[in-house]
Amino acid sequence: GATHLGVVSAMGASARSAVFYNRVKGEMEQAVSALGYDSVVIARPSMLAGDRESLDQPVRTGERVGLAVMALFRPVTPANLRAIAAVDVATGLVRAVRSARPGTRILLSGELQPR
């Protein structure tokens, strides 16, 4: 009986992308948009920030370095490119789904940032 759907995708998602990850995310977006829900809200966050260690996930050194560099340049980085906490993505997505109008809506990372 659900009429609204919210999904997390990725910045740069496109079914026509030459980058495999972005292409798969774009194909997923097309597929869920065709499922017949009254409204679909797709969140496209930038790099996700959060505590992976407490979740027993492997350490991602490159990700740690990227997040540290992003933190240094945060004041001059456009909102759509800033790292974002997973909880902020979830909060923004739920808020958008609750107020969704018919059709498909794409939320970029800047729209998911806390206010």
Side-chain angles (χ1 to χ4, degrees), residues 18-102:
V19 177
F20 178 75
Y21 182 79
N22 290 346
R23 186 173 62 248
V24 169
K25 290 292 190 174
E27 291 170 354
M28 177 274 300
E29 290 181 6
Q30 288 179 339
V32 298
S33 294
L35 289 175
Y37 286 91
D38 291 346
S39 66
V40 175
V41 180
I42 300 169
R44 287 185 181 169
S46 179
M47 181 182 278
L48 293 176
D51 180 14
R52 293 186 186 277
E53 287 79 22
S54 67
L55 301 173
D56 286 331
Q57 293 189 5
V59 174
R60 299 177 178 181
T61 305
E63 189 174 85
R64 277 187 174 178
V65 170
L67 288 169
V69 170
M70 290 178 95
L72 287 173
F73 291 99
R74 183 174 178 84
V76 296
T77 303
N80 284 336
L81 301 178
R82 288 184 200 141
I84 184 168
V87 68
D88 293 332
V89 174
T91 301
L93 182 56
V94 168
R95 185 183 320 114
V97 168
R98 285 184 175 155
S99 64
R101 294 188 175 145

